[in-house]
């Protein structure tokens, strides 16, 4: 009985979700087709769909995607390595944690996007300024989570390993890293997400190429349907990537 | 304790969780009848999962039984009866965002005590449990034992005739339990409360109870009732007396088989009976 | 060794008096070093401040000696330029407008996010149905929609407020929903056993339980609003902050650019601090 009721409720909430999305789509369609909403503000969903198919078929997105992907990969790899290295180094002593952790946390609470104009001035409109911003923004969650991860390793585990004669390396490799990993993985996921945001954001605000830049260009030439298609494309990619990363994170902390 | 009037009348109460045939179906309590006399302290003891907490929740009106009835002070129980029954739970059930004093006062507010009486009653009950100095502390600032004292103060301030205690010292360490048990015995000698006390500690039951109801394994029911004639407040020396040891051993013997049954039904098949003998 | 022996009993009482003066002062220096070390060990904040000063000094020297003054300014010059930035025609107005956008955006995000989060949190069916959608939208890179917001709402404050709300509202909803979930059931049972009415439970159990997550949500919401508003401000280069950052960049006035950004950062820090303090004040019991 109870289990059937649960299954029914799950089905009902799925129905509500799908109904909600369908209603959204239907009112979009109705607004553009029957209610006379200006197509320059809101393009027809069918037109958007055709544009999306066209974008995908012609592969026109490839050069911009390559730029964005390269910038993002560079920024994330830089932030990941520097964040984890600095985090490892700082967390070797409680004292350095007390010195630096509040500093990093304090800077992280300021909207780092503000650095973009400075980076543009310094590195120009090309990929360098995007990479710099992406690295800066995603450095902080990585370093903070690394410090937190190593800081919260159960002392009993360390004592136990020492009592069995573990060397420094063995302690690090078999106790500290696995114990800190779940927290660090969360930091990496957040770093991944914010780096992506930073790259797309800086491409939108000031750039010469990339997916964000392309969307702005379409907006300026008022090619609304194609712009919506591009937005849908970018959103789909990022949602997929974020889902993938969350999945990897969940796998990494399976034992919890 | 005299053979006075019945405070709680339990008549063929049974309870099952879920419906028959379901995976989560559990027959927790089987056809239990019991009279609890005014002013006595009755301990319910039994293997885990035997339904003693379920019975307590049924008495308190927090759970409607699948069958049977409970009467408190002659009235059938259909829900919480805050004017007759106060509860102390195993878990810390103090509101963490209120101080000890505020927690006690909120209990009285919930029960409907006139505001004018709050201060005096809170003061008195906190003094009774020895927490007057900690009135302005938040629960997080207290030790586990002090938190349970605060919960006891809150229950006392409600001035109910009945106190239901669901393994109130279960989460505490042995030494804190001992002290709290002694203090409780002293406190109870002064009040005329009827108390139902769920525990799985043999020593606690033997030390505190006027009667101990030993439960059988699931579906639980009262297997035997043991009377302990020893006046309250009980002296710590009682613990070392021969009478106490005999009682404790009797309880142990009664419980042991039931615990084996309860554990055996969970253990893999091959192991059952293999170590059925005495440890 | 010999000097100690010759000075006799007096030296054992005050062993560092007399004797080898060089060794003596070194010992005393050592002691002072030790005291300083102990002091610093007790006050990591001072070392932190030292680290910040070292970074600023390095920046100052690098900017003065190695770098092109067209691209980077030393901190001293940035500090000196703050007055000039504030006297640039239109900057005070742009700053005021940004502050206004932040305040209004935050107020709207809270006004919508809190009740929505509360409703979803208390209503299991609604939560199961709509939380996946909320989480999906929360995870979307809303910055790709930025040009759309400008097209819809114009280059004035409306678009920036709307974009700020779009960033701030989801963390508020998610945090509040999570907060409602965390209530220990025993507290409800216990209140019910003492005769608490529905109103009692809402007022004395659920509501106080919600306060910390209200504030945590507001803190996260504020970061979201800051991000959204500043993104939109920087994007629109024909008005507001974006106009001035673009202008200072194109005219190679790094001191003024740094100064303007420092002011915005200060604004963000002050707002963050206000919300953080309020949160702290209402979570004393933890």
């Amino acid at each position: 009985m109870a289990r059937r009721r649960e299954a029914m409720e799950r089905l009902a909430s799925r129905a509500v979700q799908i109904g909600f999305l369908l209603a959204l789509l239907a009112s979009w369609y109705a607004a553009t087709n029957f209610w006379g909403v200006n197509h320059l503000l809101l393009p027809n969903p069918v037109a958007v769909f055709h544009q999306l198919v066209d974008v995908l078929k012609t592969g026109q997105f490839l050069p911009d995607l390559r730029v964005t992907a390269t910038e993002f990969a560079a920024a994330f790899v830089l932030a990941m390595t520097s964040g984890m290295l600095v985090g490892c180094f700082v967390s070797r002593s409680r004292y350095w944690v007390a010195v630096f952790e509040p500093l990093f946390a304090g800077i992280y609470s300021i909207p780092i996007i503000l650095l973009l104009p400075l980076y543009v001035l310094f590195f120009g409109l090309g990929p360098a300024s995007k990479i710099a911003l992406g690295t800066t923004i995603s450095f902080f969650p990585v370093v903070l989570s690394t410090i937190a991860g190593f800081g919260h390793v159960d002392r009993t585990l360390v004592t136990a390993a020492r009592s069995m004669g573990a060397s420094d390396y063995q302690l690090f490799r078999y106790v500290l890293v696995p114990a800190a990993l779940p927290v660090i993985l969360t930091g990496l996921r957040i770093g991944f997400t914010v780096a992506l945001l930073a790259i797309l954001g800086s491409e939108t605000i000031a750039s010469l190429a990339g997916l964000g830049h392309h969307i702005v260009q379409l907006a300026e030439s008022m090619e609304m349907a194609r712009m919506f298609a591009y937005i849908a494309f970018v959103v789909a990619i990022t949602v997929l990537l974020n889902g993938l990363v969350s999945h990897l994170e969940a796998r990494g902390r399976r034992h919890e | 304790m005299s053979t006075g009037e019945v405070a709680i009348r339990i008549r063929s109460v049974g309870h099952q969780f879920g419906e028959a045939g379901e995976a989560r179906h559990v027959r927790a309590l089987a056809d239990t009848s019991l009279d609890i006399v005014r002013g006595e302290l009755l301990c319910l003891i039994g293997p885990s999962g035997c339904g003693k907490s379920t019975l307590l929740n049924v008495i308190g009106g927090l759970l409607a039984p699948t069958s049977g009835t409970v009467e408190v002070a002659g009235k059938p129980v259909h829900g919480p009866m805050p004017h007759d029954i106060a509860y102390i739970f195993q878990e810390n059930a103090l509101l963490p965002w209120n101080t000890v004093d505020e927690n006690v006062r909120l209990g009285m507010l919930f029960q409907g005590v006139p505001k004018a009486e709050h201060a005096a009653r809170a003061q008195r009950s906190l003094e009774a449990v020895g927490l007057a100095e900690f009135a302005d502390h938040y629960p997080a600032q207290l030790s586990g034992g002090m938190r349970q004292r605060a919960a006891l103060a809150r229950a006392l301030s409600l001035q109910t005739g009945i106190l239901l205690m669901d393994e109130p010292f279960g989460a505490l360490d042995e030494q804190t339990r001992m002290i709290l048990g002694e203090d409780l015995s002293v406190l109870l000698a002064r009040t005329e409360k009827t108390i139902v006390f769920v525990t799985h500690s043999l020593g606690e039951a033997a030390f505190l109870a006027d009667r101990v109801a030993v439960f059988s394994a699931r579906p639980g029911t009262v297997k035997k009732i043991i009377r302990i004639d020893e006046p309250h407040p009980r002296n710590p020396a009682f613990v070392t007396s021969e009478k106490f040891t005999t009682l404790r051993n009797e309880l142990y013997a009664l419980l042991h088989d039931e615990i084996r049954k309860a554990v055996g039904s969970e253990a893999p098949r091959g192991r059952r009976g293999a170590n059925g003998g005495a440890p | 060794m010999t000097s100690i022996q010759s000075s006799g009993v007096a030296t054992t009482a005050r062993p560092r008096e007399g004797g080898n003066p060089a060794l003596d002062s070194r010992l005393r220096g050592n002691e002072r070093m030790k005291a300083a070390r102990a002091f610093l060990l007790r006050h990591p904040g001072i070392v932190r401040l030292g680290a910040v000063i070292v970074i600023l000094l390095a920046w100052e020297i690098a900017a003065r000696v190695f770098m092109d003054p067209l691209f980077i300014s030393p901190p001293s010059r940035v500090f000196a330029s703050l007055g000039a930035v504030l006297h640039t025609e239109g900057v005070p107005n742009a700053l005021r407008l940004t502050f206004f956008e932040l305040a209004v955006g935050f107020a709207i995000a809270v006004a919508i996010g809190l009740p929505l989060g509360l409703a979803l949190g208390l209503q299991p069916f609604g939560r199961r149905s709509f939380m996946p959608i909320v989480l999906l939208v929360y995870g979307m890179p809303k910055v790709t929609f930025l040009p759309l917001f400008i097209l819809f709402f114009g280059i004035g404050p409306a678009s920036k407020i709307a974009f700020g709300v779009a960033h701030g509202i989801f963390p508020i909803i998610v945090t509040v929903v999570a907060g409602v979930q965390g209530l220990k059931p025993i507290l409800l049972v216990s209140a019910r056993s003492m005769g608490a009415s529905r109103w009692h439970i809402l007022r004395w159990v659920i509501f106080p339980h919600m306060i910390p997550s209200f504030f945590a949500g507001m803190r996260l919401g504020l970061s979201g609003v800051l991000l959204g508003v500043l993104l939109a401000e920087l994007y629109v280069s024909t008005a507001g902050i974006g106009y001035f950052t673009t202008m200072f960049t194109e005219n190679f006035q790094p001191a003024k650019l740094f100064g303007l950004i420092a002011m915005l950062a200060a604004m963000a820090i002050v707002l963050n601090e206000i919300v953080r303090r309020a949160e702290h004040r209402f979570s004393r019991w933890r």
Side-chain angles (χ1 to χ4, degrees):
Chain A
M1 259 301 258
R3 220 177 330 158
R4 253 200 20 228
R5 202 176 323 123
E6 248 167 53
M8 285 299 287
E9 276 195 3
R10 217 174 5 243
L11 208 67
S13 50
R14 275 277 173 282
V16 169
Q17 278 161 24
I18 293 166
F20 180 78
L21 294 178
L22 281 180
L24 219 59
L25 207 62
S27 44
W28 180 8
Y29 186 80
T32 47
N33 273 21
F34 312 121
W35 304 341
V37 171
N38 190 341
H39 283 212
L40 280 180
L41 279 181
L42 194 64
N44 188 299
V46 180
V48 171
F49 181 74
H50 285 307
Q51 287 292 339
L52 185 60
V53 171
D54 185 62
V55 168
L56 292 177
K57 240 199 272 176
T58 57
Q60 188 214 29
F61 61 89
L62 274 173
D64 286 316
L65 179 64
R66 200 172 301 133
V67 171
T68 303
T70 316
E71 289 167 352
F72 168 72
F76 183 58
V77 168
L78 276 173
M80 187 168 74
T81 43
S82 60
M84 282 171 41
L85 277 178
V86 173
C88 267
F89 185 72
V90 166
S91 58
R92 287 187 66 89
S93 124
R94 261 168 216 273
Y95 183 69
W96 290 120
V97 172
V99 170
F100 284 107
E101 207 252 7
L103 188 64
F104 292 144
I107 299 174
Y108 188 41
S109 73
I110 305 170
I112 297 168
I113 185 81
L114 279 173
L115 289 177
L116 180 61
L118 303 181
Y119 285 162
V120 169
L121 174 65
F122 201 71
F123 296 109
L125 284 171
S129 57
K130 319 290 164 312
I131 294 172
L133 188 77
T135 308
T136 316
I137 287 189
S138 88
F139 168 77
F140 289 98
V142 176
V143 77
L144 285 170
S145 70
T146 308
I147 293 175
F150 282 118
H152 291 127
V153 176
D154 189 349
R155 303 310 301 173
T156 323
L157 293 179
V158 176
T159 316
R162 283 281 188 221
S163 77
M164 292 183 274
S167 66
D168 277 355
Y169 167 74
Q170 286 169 330
L171 187 72
F172 184 75
R173 164 72 182 77
Y174 294 104
V175 179
L176 295 180
V177 168
L181 199 62
V183 183
I184 298 177
L185 282 177
T186 304
L188 288 178
R189 173 178 52 78
I190 298 172
F192 184 93
T193 313
V194 294
L196 202 54
L197 276 177
I199 299 295
L200 288 171
S202 52
E203 280 179 358
T204 306
I205 290 171
S207 67
L208 304 168
L211 290 168
H213 176 73
H214 197 89
I215 290 174
V216 174
Q217 274 189 324
L218 291 169
E220 277 166 3
S221 57
M222 296 300 263
E223 291 177 62
M224 294 304 280
R226 200 161 184 85
M227 174 189 173
F228 268 66
Y230 257 91
I231 291 179
F233 176 64
V234 174
V235 166
I237 289 180
T238 47
V239 167
L240 275 178
L241 279 178
N242 285 338
L244 183 72
V245 171
S246 296
H247 176 72
L248 288 178
E249 183 201 356
R251 274 190 57 148
R253 45 198 311 175
R254 229 173 344 187
H255 64 276
E256 288 200 333
Chain B
M1 188 211 62
S2 56
T3 46
E5 56 186 298
V6 173
I8 305 169
R9 192 186 304 274
I10 301 162
R11 282 293 168 270
S12 15
V13 166
H15 191 74
Q16 54 186 46
F17 295 99
E19 318 243 339
E22 263 181 46
R24 274 181 300 172
H25 168 72
V26 171
R27 276 188 72 201
L29 196 61
D31 203 42
T32 301
S33 296
L34 191 62
D35 283 343
I36 300 168
V37 182
R38 233 183 86 119
E40 78 168 328
L41 194 155
L42 179 84
C43 265
L44 307 181
I45 194 166
S48 44
C50 71
K52 49 195 195 297
S53 289
T54 305
L55 181 61
L56 201 73
N57 287 341
V58 169
I59 298 172
L62 298 178
L63 192 69
T66 8
S67 61
T69 55
V70 175
E71 278 176 24
V72 166
K75 295 167 283 184
V77 174
H78 290 301
M81 305 173 76
H83 291 278
D84 300 299
I85 297 173
Y87 237 107
I88 295 172
F89 300 91
Q90 171 177 14
E91 261 180 278
N92 166 25
L94 297 170
L95 299 169
W97 41 82
N98 290 118
T99 61
V100 169
D101 183 55
E102 287 166 346
N103 264 290
V104 175
R105 285 160 185 258
L106 276 174
M108 289 187 270
L109 177 83
F110 293 164
Q111 197 203 36
V113 176
K115 268 252 159 66
E117 294 177 32
H118 286 194
R121 269 164 79 163
Q123 174 76 18
R124 227 179 307 134
S125 58
L126 283 173
E127 271 167 12
V129 300
L131 272 188
E133 284 166 49
F134 296 90
D136 294 327
H137 283 56
Y138 287 98
Q141 298 169 309
L142 303 179
S143 68
M146 286 159 95
R147 282 201 280 263
Q148 285 309 67
R149 280 177 196 272
L152 182 60
R154 178 168 73 178
L156 290 176
S157 76
L158 298 176
Q159 298 184 350
T160 55
I162 298 170
L163 209 53
L164 302 183
M165 306 177 84
D166 189 359
E167 297 191 35
F169 309 145
L172 306 176
D173 64 85
E174 190 60 37
Q175 285 154 30
T176 313
R177 284 177 90 121
M178 199 172 73
I179 297 297
L180 275 179
E182 286 172 14
D183 289 0
L184 185 64
S185 174
V186 171
L187 205 63
L188 298 182
R190 280 193 253 132
T191 59
E192 270 298 292
K193 285 189 194 296
T194 310
I195 297 176
V196 187
F197 192 107
V198 170
T199 181
H200 51 226
S201 156
L202 298 168
E204 206 163 78
F207 183 74
L208 285 174
D210 296 309
R211 286 195 299 161
V212 181
V214 181
F215 271 65
S216 64
R218 194 153 71 201
T221 189
V222 177
K223 186 182 177 189
K224 187 165 184 194
I225 293 183
I226 294 182
R227 183 175 296 275
I228 301 176
D229 288 315
E230 177 80 19
H232 283 288
R234 293 198 176 149
N235 196 316
F238 176 50
V239 179
T240 50
S241 68
E242 200 166 319
K243 186 175 173 186
F244 182 88
T245 313
T246 318
L247 274 167
R248 202 179 173 286
N249 290 347
E250 187 180 353
L251 286 174
Y252 179 80
L254 277 169
L255 261 182
H256 182 263
D257 296 344
E258 297 305 327
I259 293 174
R260 268 289 158 216
K261 262 187 246 165
V263 173
S265 67
E266 281 166 15
R269 231 159 228 290
R271 281 238 215 101
R272 200 195 296 183
N275 24 348
Chain C
M1 251 338 207
T2 45
S3 64
I4 291 175
Q5 270 169 353
S6 63
S7 4
V9 184
T11 29
T12 45
R14 294 190 333 214
R16 271 187 220 113
E17 202 109 319
N20 183 345
L23 178 78
D24 204 45
S25 76
R26 205 167 343 132
L27 274 176
R28 218 168 322 172
N30 252 348
E31 199 136 284
R32 223 175 291 143
M33 281 278 286
K34 250 185 231 160
R37 230 181 101 84
F39 178 76
L40 290 180
L41 279 175
R42 259 180 289 121
H43 301 275
I46 290 174
V47 179
R48 195 180 313 137
L49 196 69
V52 173
I53 290 171
V54 167
I55 292 167
L56 286 178
L57 270 178
W59 172 8
E60 179 86 30
I61 293 165
R64 277 177 187 275
V65 181
F66 306 110
M67 311 258 194
D68 191 332
L70 285 181
F71 294 104
I72 195 162
S73 254
S76 59
R77 231 169 272 159
V78 172
F79 189 75
S81 79
L82 288 178
V85 175
L86 277 180
H87 282 103
T88 308
E89 171 101 43
V91 166
N93 252 337
L95 283 172
R96 222 172 290 139
L97 196 60
T98 304
F99 188 78
F100 167 76
E101 289 157 4
L102 285 172
V104 174
F106 182 54
I108 294 176
V110 170
I112 304 175
L114 281 193
L116 218 57
L118 203 55
L120 286 182
L122 292 174
Q123 225 292 320
F125 182 74
R127 182 177 66 247
R128 272 198 300 274
S129 305
F130 286 102
M131 265 323 264
I133 295 177
V134 168
L135 287 173
L136 184 75
V137 183
Y138 184 23
M140 279 183 187
K142 283 168 281 292
V143 66
T144 49
F145 295 86
L146 180 50
L148 267 184
F149 274 75
I150 308 297
L151 283 174
F152 285 169
F153 297 103
I155 60 166
S159 61
K160 292 147 194 177
I161 292 172
F163 202 57
V165 172
H167 276 83
I169 195 165
F170 293 103
I172 297 181
I173 296 175
V174 171
T175 316
V176 171
V177 167
V180 184
Q181 304 303 295
L183 182 61
K184 285 201 314 188
I186 188 82
L187 295 180
L188 293 174
V189 173
S190 143
R192 226 156 51 82
S193 81
M194 291 185 282
S197 63
R198 285 181 76 91
W199 160 248
H200 279 152
I201 287 180
L202 199 66
R203 165 70 186 82
W204 297 104
V205 185
I206 294 178
F207 184 69
H209 166 76
M210 294 300 306
I211 295 271
S213 43
F214 275 168
F215 278 101
M218 274 166 47
R219 187 163 39 81
L220 292 173
L222 178 66
S223 323
V225 173
L226 276 166
L227 177 65
V229 167
L230 292 174
L231 272 171
E233 277 286 352
L234 293 176
Y235 174 71
V236 177
S237 56
T238 47
I241 299 292
Y243 170 75
F244 291 103
T245 54
T246 316
M247 188 183 84
F248 292 150
T249 307
E250 284 170 358
N251 297 343
F252 295 106
Q253 295 175 301
K256 282 192 167 183
L257 182 61
F258 276 75
L260 179 61
I261 290 199
M263 284 180 212
L264 289 167
M267 196 188 283
I269 292 171
V270 168
L271 285 171
N272 272 329
E273 194 57 23
I274 291 172
V275 175
R276 206 182 59 79
R277 291 238 168 131
E279 182 184 4
H280 188 72
R281 174 143 171 18
F282 284 97
S283 324
R284 253 175 321 159
W285 50 271
R286 291 212 150 175

